[in-house]
């Protein structure tokens, strides 16, 4: 099968490799995959991953290894990316995201979606409704990550929320949070991206604009993907407010810790989330993704696709 292989930081090659063959799992023919900020960080050396990257995908189950999974054959699916060991206390509690021995699609000890096929257990799969097309379905995984915030904290309709970062994850997160409160502001550095946010009906603020002391936010979500994002979030959160950190990046970020203590700020790390609420948000149109798609590329066009993804909102690979 054709696959993009991350050989070393900054070096990706299109290769012909054997399809995955994992006992007890389903073989999924990938239709479309999305380039995520984490993928770009991995190209820069994050997670020290070598293999096939990519974890946002939609595809069709082609083959299963267990008779009990036969119903999945021919089903269009998306998939949760964490695969637990099935034996530890985390897996027993249904929290495979923190299994010490987990593998993660395209990130850790498991090849990913920038290939014609990938492998996942049936327990990780979710059927995609016919009303959700492939270009939209690719966004289920990142929208699920946005929905994780609702599992971690309560956001009522009076809460003032700022999303720091005007990229793909920022606009998805802001739209998801808008289903809980209308008071959502996207803060970013790029006029073109803020224009997309505005067209989606979101309030926007340039990073260069000051946030007055009395106008700081109850909740601030950092989705910048940059070391300075957390520091910026701490500047604009109100005392006893909450900062949700969703950025993963290669390297370290320096912050002043005293405001966290003095202002009694709660910091919440937030990662993967529930797929079913994400599918519902996309199917209902509450989260719109088409305005974010800048380009649909082939795997052979990977060099220009990755380069464009560093500045555009979203670049997809049409794999099928």
């Amino acid at each position: 099968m054709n696959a993009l292989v991350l050989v070393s930081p900054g070096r990706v090659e299109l290769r012909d490799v054997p399809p995955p063959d994992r006992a007890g799992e389903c073989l999924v023919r990938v239709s479309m995959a999305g380039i995520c900020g984490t993928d770009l960080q991995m190209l820069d050396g994050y997670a020290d991953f070598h293999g096939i990257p990519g974890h946002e995908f939609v595809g069709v189950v082609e083959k299963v290894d267990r008779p009990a999974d036969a119903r999945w054959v021919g089903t269009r699916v998306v998939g949760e990316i964490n695969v637990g060991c099935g034996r530890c206390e985390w897996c027993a509690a249904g929290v495979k995201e923190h299994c010490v021995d987990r593998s993660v699609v395209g990130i850790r000890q498991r090849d990913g979606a920038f290939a014609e096929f990938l492998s996942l257990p049936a327990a990780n799969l979710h059927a995609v409704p016919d009303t959700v097309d492939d270009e939209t379905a690719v966004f289920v995984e990142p929208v699920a990550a946005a929905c994780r915030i609702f599992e971690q904290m309560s956001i009522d309709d009076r809460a003032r929320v700022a999303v720091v970062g005007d990229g793909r994850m920022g606009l998805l997160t802001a739209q998801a949070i808008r289903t809980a409160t209308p008071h959502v502001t996207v803060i970013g550095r790029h006029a073109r991206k803020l224009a997309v946010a505005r067209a989606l009906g979101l309030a926007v603020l340039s990073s260069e604009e000051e946030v007055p002391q009395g106008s700081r936010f109850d909740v601030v979500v950092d989705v910048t993907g940059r070391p300075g994002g957390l520091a910026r979030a701490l500047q604009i959160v109100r005392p006893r407010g909450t900062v949700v950190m969703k950025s993963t990046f290669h390297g370290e970020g320096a912050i002043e810790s005293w405001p966290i203590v003095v202002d009694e700020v709660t910091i919440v790390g937030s990662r993967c989330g529930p797929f079913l609420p994400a599918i519902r948000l996309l199917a209902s149109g509450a989260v719109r993704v088409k305005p974010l798609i800048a380009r649909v590329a082939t795997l052979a066009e990977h060099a220009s696709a990755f380069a464009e993804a560093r500045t555009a909102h979203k670049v997809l690979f049409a794999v099928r």
Side-chain angles (χ1 to χ4, degrees), residues 149 161-165 173 177 219-224 233 242-246:
I149 296 172
V161 181
V163 176
V164 183
T173 300
I177 293 176
V219 179
V220 181
V221 186
D222 166 30
V223 288
T224 60
T242 301
V243 169
V244 180
M245 188 175 181
K246 278 205 164 287

Side-chain angles (χ1 to χ4, degrees), residues 68-88:
D69 298 331
R71 67 182 182 87
W72 285 101
V73 175
T75 303
R76 195 164 58 108
V77 296
V78 290
E80 298 179 32
I81 66 175
N82 294 280
V83 181
C85 70
R87 302 179 301 275
C88 68

Side-chain angles (χ1 to χ4, degrees), residues 288-310:
R288 295 166 52 202
V289 299
K290 293 298 179 69
L292 277 62
I293 300 172
R295 177 185 175 192
V296 179
T298 66
L299 294 180
E301 298 170 321
H302 61 88
S304 62
F306 285 130
E308 186 169 352
R310 291 188 182 275

Side-chain angles (χ1 to χ4, degrees), residues 82-107:
N82 294 280
V83 181
C85 70
R87 302 179 301 275
C88 68
E89 61 178 341
W90 286 109
C91 289
V95 190
K96 55 185 177 291
E97 294 82 6
H98 292 293
C99 168
V100 176
D101 294 322
R102 72 187 181 277
S103 60
V104 185
V105 174
I107 296 175

Side-chain angles (χ1 to χ4, degrees), residues 6 26 47 79 132 152 155 185 204 210 240 244 251 263:
L6 177 57
C26 302
V132 178
Q152 295 174 294
I155 299 177
T185 301
V204 303
E210 291 293 329
R240 295 193 175 180
V244 180
D263 287 343

